[in-house]
C-alpha cells in the first residue's frame, strides 16, 4: 500500500536531500526578479505533476551560462515539492564509470522512481553526463539515447514523475535533438549589471555599504559601464579569494574586472 | 494445431494490449478528416494481410512531426485487427540494452510472430531504436540492418505478418535506404489551423464555449493568423499545465503562442 | 567415391530447394524478351562450369533496381542446374549475426560446396550481407574481404563451383572493387512500359480484358505516357492490395500512378 | 646440421608446391617478350640471394592490372629457385581470419622460413591481405605494419630469404609507404594488342588458324583498332565460356569486344 | 579524530614529497620578477583554501611554453602549503596504463584526498594525462571527463582541496571546455631576454663574470638583438652539454643561438 | 652494490650487443665528412650523461631519408659508450605484438634501464614503433604517449640514461609534438654526389679503379650531372645485385641511374 511504498523509497530520499542541500550552500540570493520567476515556473510544473492524472510525466530544462546558479535553483525546486522520492542524478556520483555503467546507473534511478507515487529527479549537468567535448565532437551516444527514451517514457499507471535537468549547452542539446524531449525550457541568466551585483553584495553582507559603493564605482570606471555578465558562483568565489589579500576591495574589483573583460570577449 | 498455436501466443498478446492502450490514453479525437483517412488506409493493409495468401508480409510506415499522434494511430490500427499476435516493439522496453541485446530482442519478437498464423508488430519510433543522432551522424548499423532484413523476410509458409512502424525522421530513413523496405507510407500531420484546434478543444470539453472562442480569438491576434502547426500531444499537455495557473485561458494562449512561434521558426 | 560424396551433400540441397522455391512464389512471367535472354545467359555459364575443366570457378552478378525480380531469376537458374549442391546464401538466414558469425557462416557454405563435384551458390542481396548503408558510408569490411577472396578462390582439384549473386547496388560494388571479382554481369530491368505491364497482367489473369484495357488507358492518361519503370514485385503487391478496395481497378491505377511518379523523381 | 635442417622444413615445401602449381594451371604462354624479361629479372634476384652473403634479404614486387598473370609468374620464379623452403602466403588460406590471426599466421610463415638456410616466400595479392577497400579508405593497419617490418627484418645470421609479392594496387602501396620496403619492382602488363592475342591463341591451340584470323579481323573491326589491354586470365576464361555457345568464334569476339570497351573506359 | 585522520594520510604525503622535490632539482632561480609574482598568487589561493569555509575547493592552472618551469613552480607552491595531504599526479606514474586504469588511478588520488581535512593535488602535464596528440586530433575523452568532474566536485563537508595543474596547451584545453573548470589561471613565461638570461647564469654560478659578459655579447651579435624566448630547463641543459666541449662558452652560445632561432620561427 | 648491479644487467647487454652488431654489417664507410661530425656529436651527449649529475637524462634523434645509415650510426654511438646497459628497442622484436604488448615491452626496457647506473637505449625506427601510415593518417597513440612520457621521465636518483632514436619521418614527429620531447636532433644525409659515391666504392673495394671511373662517368652522362641523393644501404645492395649479371658495371650504372631518377622525382 501507499504507506509501505513510501517507506520503501524514503531512505533514497534522505540521501539525496543532503546532496541537494550541498548544492545550495550559499542559499538563493534574490539579486534580480528573474530568480522569483524561475522558482514560480518550477512550482507550476511541480503542481501539474501533483494534480493532473492526464500528464503523469513532465520534464523541464534549466539552461544558462556556467556558474549562473542552475543547479542551486533546480535543487531548490525539487526540495520544495516534498515528493516522497527526490533524487539528484549528477556526474559527481559517476566518476570513473564507463558508458555501460552510466547507462545502468541512470536507468536504475528512473526504475526506482517508478515505484513511488510521486517523484522528482534532478538530472544535473547533462553535457557532462553525456561526456560531451566540442573537439570531434564526441559524446556518449548510449547515454544520450537512454536519456532521450527516459525523458519520454511514461511511469507505470498511477505513478507520476517530474524531471528537472540543467545544462550550459542548450544549442548542443538542440543539435542532438535532445531539446525536443523536454516539455518546457527555462533560462537562468548571469548577474547582468552593477545593480544586480549590488543587490547580491547587500544580500551577502560581505562589505560595508561604503566599501560596496566604492567597489561598484571603481568597477564601472574600470569596465567603462554597468554591464557585468558574470555567474553568481564566480562572484561568491571572488569574495572569498579577495579576503586573503590585504586590500580586499581592491582585489575584488580586479578579479571582477578580469571576469567582465573575459565575458565580453566570448 | 491452430487452436493450440493461438493458445501459445495469446499471453504475449495480452501484455502488449495493455502497453498499446497506454499509447491511446487520451483517445483519438477526430479534429480533422485526415484522422479517418489514416485509419481507413491502415484497415485496407490489415485486410490485405488477412485475406491475400500471395502477400503474406505487408509493411506500412506512419511518419510525421513529433507529438503528431503517430504512436496512438499505429496502436489503434494494430488493436483493431484482432489478430492473435499483436506486439509493440518500442525503445521504452529496451532502455539500457546494448546493440547486441537490441538486435536479439527485435529478432526474438519477429521469430515469435512467425509462430502465429496472423500477426501485427508495431515498430515504434524507429529513429530511437536506431540510436539516431544528427551529430556525426551516428546510429546503430546493426539494428538498422536487422530491421532492413526483417522488413523484407517472409514469414514461414502459411503465416502472415503486418508491420506498422512510426518515425519522425522520414528523410533520415530515406538516406539510409530504409524507406525502400516499406511497402506503403502514410503521413500524420500536426494540428494545422485554429479550426482544427477548435475541433480538438470541443472534443476534449476542456473549456466552455465562451472560453474556447475567446482563446482562439486571442491566439489568432497574437500569432497574426490561423496557422498552428503544433502536435496534438503538446496541445493536450498545455491544457493540463494551464490548469495549474490562476488565469487558465491566458496561460493556455501564452503556451500555444510560444509553440506556434517555435514551429514557424523551424 | 562420387556416389557417397553426393549422398553427403544431398541433404543440404534439399533444404535450400525449399528456400529457393519460396523465392519464386509467383513464378516467372515472361513480360519482356529480356527475361528469356537472362535465363539463357545463366544457362551458358552453368554449362561452362559443368563441362570445362579449365575454369572450375565461374561467378555471375545479377544487378538491377529493387523488386525487379533478381532473386527469383537467380533461384530459377540455380535450380535448373540440378547440381548435387545448391545453396541459397541470404541475409534472411543471418538475422542477428555479428560480423564474425556472418564471416564464419559464409565461409562454411563455401567449404561445404568444395566437397561436392559440382555446386551452385546463390549469394542473394550482397549489399545486405555487407551491412551497407549510404550514410557514412558504412559496411562490414570483413564480410566484403571474405566475399572478395571466396569469389576468386578455386575449389579443390576436380571440383567446380558456379556463384550467382544479386544486388541493387552495382555502383557501390564498383567503388568497393568488388565488381572486379565477378567474371560476368547481367542487368535485370524493371517493367519499363505499359506494353510490358499489359503482358504481366495477362499472365497473371488478375483482371478481365476490359478492366486491363481500362487500367492501362487510365494509367497512360494520368502519367502522360507509357513509361512505367516499376519492379515486378511491387506490381504484384499492388494487385493484391487493390483487391481489398471496393473499386479494384481504380485503386490499382492510383497505386501504379504513385509508383510511376516516385520512380521518375528518383 | 644442414641436412637435418632441410629435412625439418621439407614438408612445408611439399604443401606449397601443390598450391603453387595450381597458380600456373594453364602454364606460362610467352605471348610477348615481356614474359621472358620478367622471368630473367626474377632469376637475377634469386641468384643474389643464393650467392651474396652481404644481402641475405631481397624483396621484389610484381605489380600490374587484375588478371595479368602476376601470381602465375611469381609462382614460376619461386618454384624455379628450388630453395629448400618455398611458401605461398595467400589470402585464400586466411578466409575468415580476424586481424590478429592474420598477423599471427604471416609471422609464423616468416619465422618458419628463418629456420631454412635459403627460402622464398610468395606474398600474393597484398591488397587483399591488407583488407584494402577504397571506400573510406579502410585496411588492416596491423597487417600492414607486420609486413613493413618483415619485409626489412634480416633473417638470422647465415640464413637468406627472397620475398616475391604481387599486387594490383601499386599506387595504394605507395601512399602507404609500403613501396619503400621493397628492394625492386617489376611491372606485369596485360595483353596489349591483337598481335599478342594472336600469339596467345596460337599457343593455346584453341582455334584453327582460319578461325583465329577471322576472330582477330572481326575484333579489330568492332573495336576500331588493334589495342586490347585485357588480362591473360580473362582471355583464357572467355575461350572456355565461348565454347558453350553454338557460334564459338562469334561469342568469343563479343566477349573480347566488351572487355576491350570496358578497359578503354577505365 | 583529526590526529588519526592525519596519521592515515601522512604516508601518502611522504612519498609525494620526494617526487615533488625531484621536480625542483635545480632550485628556483629568480631570473625575473614574474617568478615571485607567481609564487605569491599561488600563496593567496592556498590561503583561501586554508581559511575560507565557503570555498572548500579551489583550482589553479599554470600554463606556459615547454621547459618554462611550470612543474617546478607548481611543486614549490604545493610543498609550501604544508597541508597534511600533498600529492603529485603525473603521467610518469601512469606509463603503460590504459584509459580505464588512468581514470581509476586519478579517481583514487582524489578519493584519498577527500579523507584529509586539507589537501593539495598537483595535476602535472594535463595534455599528457589526456593522451593529447594534434594529429586527428586524438585524446582520451574518459580521462578528460573525469578531470572535468573532479575539478568541480566538492570534497565532503568540512574537508578542503587545492588543485594546481600545469599545461603547455592552454588553447587546446580551451577548445575542450576544460579551461572553464578552473577557478584561476596563471601564465609561466620563458626566459625572454638577455637580461633575464644574465640573471639566471649569475644565479647558477656556471661561468665567470667575464665569460658571462662575453657569452651575452656574442649571443646578441649572433641573434641580432636581446630577445631569447627559451625555457629555463633547456638553458640549464645547454650549460651541462657545453661543459663536455673544449670551448665551453662557444658551444653554449651556439646552442642558445640555435634555440633562439628555433623559437623565433615557431 | 655497484658490481652486483652491473652483474644483474650485464646479460641484457650481451644480447643487444649482437643485435647492434648486425646493424653495422657492412661497417661505417666515411664517404663524407658528415659521418665523423655525427659520431662526434653523439660522443658529446654520451659524455654529458656520463659526467653531469645535473642532467641524468639526455635524448637525441637521428633523422634522415630511408637507407641513409641512421640505424648503423645509432648503433655505433651506443656501442662506443661501453655503458653497462645497452639495449636496442626495435620493431623487429615486436612483430605480431598488439598495442598493449608493445607498450608493455617498451616500458619494460626502460624500467630495466633504470636499474643500471648508466644506460643507453636505441629506439630504432620510431615511425614503425608507432604503426604510422600516412593514409588516414593512423598510428598507435598509446605507443606515442608512452614514448612521450618515457623520453622525459627522469631515471631514479643517481642513475642516468642516454636515448638515441632514429626516424625517417621527422616532420610527422613534429606534427605529433614528439620532436619537443628530444633534447637534440642530428640529420643523417644520403650519398649526395658522385664524389661521395666514389669515396664509398673506394672504401668498399668492389670495383677496380678503372671500372669505378668508368661507372662514375657513365652515371654522370646518363643522369646529366653529379647529383646522386641515394641512401648508402641501397647502393650496397645494388653492388651485390649487379654482381649476378654478366655486365656488372653496366647493371650497377643502370640501377643507380634508376634510383637517382626516382629520387629526383620525389
Ligand atoms: N539567486 C541564486 N541563484 C542560484 N544560486 C545562487 C543564488 N544566490 C546564491 N546562489 C549560490 O550560488 C551558487 C550557484 O552555484 P551552482 O552550482 O548552482 O551554479 P551552476 O550554474 O549550476 O554552475 P555550473 O555551470 O558549474 O554547473 C550556489 O552555491 C548557490 O547557493
Ligand atoms: N487524432 C488523434 N491522433 C493521435 N493521437 C491523438 C488524437 N487525438 C488525441 N490523441 C492523443 O494524443 C496523444 C498522441 O501522442 P502520441 O504518443 O501518439 O504522439 P507521437 O506522434 O507518437 O509522439 P512522438 O513524436 O513523441 O512519438 C495520445 O495520448 C492520444 O491519445
Ligand atoms: N519475369 C519475372 N522475373 C522475376 N520475378 C518474377 C517474374 N515474374 C514474376 N515474378 C515474381 O516476382 C517476384 C520477384 O521478386 P524478387 O524477390 O525476385 O525481386 P528482387 O529484385 O530480388 O527484389 P529485392 O530488390 O527486394 O531483392 C517473385 O515473387 C517472382 O515469383
Ligand atoms: N604469360 C603468362 N603469364 C602469366 N600467366 C599466364 C601466362 N600465360 C598463361 N597464363 C595463365 O594465366 C593465368 C594467370 O592468372 P593469375 O592468377 O596469375 O593472374 P593474376 O594477375 O594473379 O590475377 P589476379 O589479379 O586475379 O590476382 C594462369 O592460369 C596462368 O597459367
Ligand atoms: N625560476 C624558475 N622557475 C622554474 N624552474 C626553475 C627556475 N629556476 C630554475 N628552475 C629549474 O628549472 C627546471 C624547470 O623544469 P620544469 O620541469 O619545471 O619545466 P616545465 O615547464 O614543467 O617543463 P615541461 O614543459 O617539460 O613540463 C627545474 O629543474 C627547476 O629546478
Ligand atoms: N657511413 C655509413 N653510415 C651508415 N651506414 C653505413 C655507412 N657506411 C656503410 N654503412 C652500412 O650501410 C648500412 C646502413 O643501413 P641502416 O640500416 O643503418 O640504414 P637506415 O638509414 O637505418 O635504413 P632504414 O631507413 O631502412 O632504417 C649498414 O649495413 C652499414 O653497415
Ligand atoms: Mg551546475
Ligand atoms: Mg510516438
Ligand atoms: Mg532479392
Ligand atoms: Mg593473383
Ligand atoms: Mg612540466
Ligand atoms: Mg634503420
Amino acid at each position: 500500500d501507499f504507506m509501505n511504498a513510501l517507506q520503501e523509497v524514503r531512505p533514497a530520499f534522505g540521501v539525496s536531500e543532503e546532496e541537494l542541500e550541498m548544492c545550495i550552500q550559499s542559499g538563493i540570493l534574490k539579486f534580480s526578479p528573474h530568480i522569483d520567476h524561475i522558482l514560480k515556473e518550477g512550482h507550476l510544473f511541480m503542481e501539474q505533476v501533483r494534480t493532473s492524472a492526464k500528464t503523469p510525466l513532465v520534464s523541464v530544462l534549466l539552461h544558462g551560462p556556467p556558474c549562473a546558479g542552475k543547479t542551486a535553483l533546480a535543487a531548490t525546486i525539487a526540495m520544495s515539492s516534498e515528493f516522497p522520492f527526490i533524487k539528484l542524478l549528477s556526474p559527481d556520483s559517476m566518476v570513473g564509470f564507463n558508458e555501460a555503467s552510466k547507462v545502468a546507473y541512470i536507468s536504475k534511478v528512473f526504475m526506482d522512481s517508478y515505484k513511488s507515487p510521486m517523484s522528482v529527479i534532478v538530472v544535473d549537468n547533462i553535457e557532462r553526463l553525456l561526456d560531451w567535448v566540442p573537439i570531434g565532437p564526441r559524446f556518449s551516444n548510449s547515454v544520450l539515447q537512454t536519456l532521450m527514451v527516459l525523458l519520454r517514457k511514461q511511469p507505470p499507471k498511477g505513478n507520476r514523475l517530474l524531471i528537472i535537468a540543467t545544462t550550459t549547452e542548450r544549442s548542443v542539446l538542440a543539435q542532438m535533438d535532445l531539446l525536443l524531449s523536454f516539455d518546457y525550457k527555462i533560462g537562468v541568466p548571469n548577474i547582468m549589471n552593477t545593480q544586480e551585483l549590488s543587490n547580491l553584495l547587500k544580500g551577502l553582507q560581505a562589505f560595508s555599504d561604503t566599501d560596496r559603493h566604492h567597489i561598484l564605482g571603481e568597477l564601472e570606471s574600470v569596465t567603462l559601464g554597468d554591464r557585468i555578465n558574470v555567474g553568481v558562483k564566480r562572484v561568491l568565489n571572488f569574495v572569498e579569494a579577495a579576503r586573503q589579500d590585504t586590500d580586499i576591495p581592491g582585489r575584488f574589483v580586479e578579479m571582477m574586472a578580469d571576469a567582465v573583460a573575459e565575458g565580453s570577449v566570448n
Side-chain angles (χ1 to χ4, degrees), chain A:
Chain A
D1 61 348
F2 191 83
M3 251 22 233
N4 277 343
L6 271 189
Q7 225 68 44
E8 198 186 338
V9 297
R10 221 50 224 242
F13 166 70
V15 172
S16 264
E17 195 166 53
E18 206 173 315
E19 286 178 303
L20 285 161
E21 264 166 14
M22 275 195 65
C23 299
I24 331 176
Q25 265 183 328
S26 316
I28 299 291
L29 297 162
K30 312 214 163 162
F31 56 82
S32 111
H34 278 115
I35 307 301
D36 263 333
H37 173 76
I38 294 167
L39 294 174
K40 265 183 210 152
E41 289 280 313
H43 188 75
L44 182 107
F45 301 126
M46 191 254 289
E47 283 302 312
Q48 182 182 357
V49 169
R50 189 198 308 280
T51 65
S52 159
K54 287 200 178 166
T55 49
L57 175 71
V58 172
S59 55
V60 191
L61 178 69
L62 299 191
H63 56 89
C67 299
K70 303 169 301 292
T71 304
L73 289 166
T76 305
I77 297 168
M79 295 187 70
S80 78
S81 77
E82 300 196 319
F83 285 1
F85 183 99
I86 304 183
K87 185 77 189 172
L88 175 64
L89 196 53
S90 147
D92 285 18
S93 337
M94 290 178 244
V95 171
F97 282 31
N98 60 17
E99 276 193 74
S101 309
K102 279 194 186 176
V103 165
Y105 183 86
I106 294 169
S107 310
K108 175 71 168 56
V109 168
F110 276 82
M111 298 310 136
D112 284 355
S113 82
Y114 297 154
K115 294 184 199 146
S116 159
M118 259 170 303
S119 311
V120 200
I121 299 176
V122 174
V123 184
D124 195 31
N125 218 340
I126 287 200
E127 65 276 15
R128 209 48 54 236
L129 284 182
L130 295 176
D131 289 341
W132 167 258
V133 59
I135 301 185
R138 301 199 212 160
F139 56 92
S140 161
N141 195 24
S142 61
V143 172
L144 173 64
Q145 299 293 336
T146 302
L147 286 176
M148 275 180 156
V149 173
L150 291 173
L151 278 165
R152 282 266 168 248
K153 183 181 158 94
Q154 309 263 346
K157 232 178 195 158
N159 291 351
R160 300 175 194 169
L161 173 62
L162 173 64
I163 302 168
I164 312 176
T166 76
T167 189
T168 57
E169 302 284 355
R170 186 194 150 115
S171 72
V172 169
L173 303 203
Q175 289 165 47
M176 286 171 172
D177 286 350
L178 183 53
L179 228 51
L180 291 170
S181 305
F182 286 97
D183 295 320
Y184 304 100
K185 291 135 225 162
I186 307 176
V188 179
N190 271 339
I191 294 176
M192 292 312 292
N193 49 45
T194 41
Q195 181 55 53
E196 292 181 10
L197 179 60
S198 179
N199 296 342
L200 184 83
L201 296 182
K202 243 187 279 177
L204 266 183
Q205 302 181 304
F207 301 99
S208 70
D209 280 8
T210 335
D211 276 0
R212 199 177 72 245
H213 286 132
H214 174 72
I215 282 169
L216 297 169
E218 278 294 292
L219 193 55
E220 294 195 346
S221 82
V222 174
T223 62
L224 305 171
D226 70 344
R227 192 185 145 84
I228 297 280
N229 198 15
V230 175
V232 61
K233 193 162 67 176
R234 291 191 78 192
V235 176
L236 299 179
N237 197 343
F238 294 160
V239 170
E240 295 305 306
R243 277 202 182 129
Q244 315 308 321
D245 206 328
T246 42
D247 172 12
I248 300 184
R251 178 55 93 136
F252 179 72
V253 168
E254 191 189 312
M255 286 178 149
M256 281 302 303
D258 284 359
V260 169
E262 229 178 73
S264 69
V265 164
N266 296 1

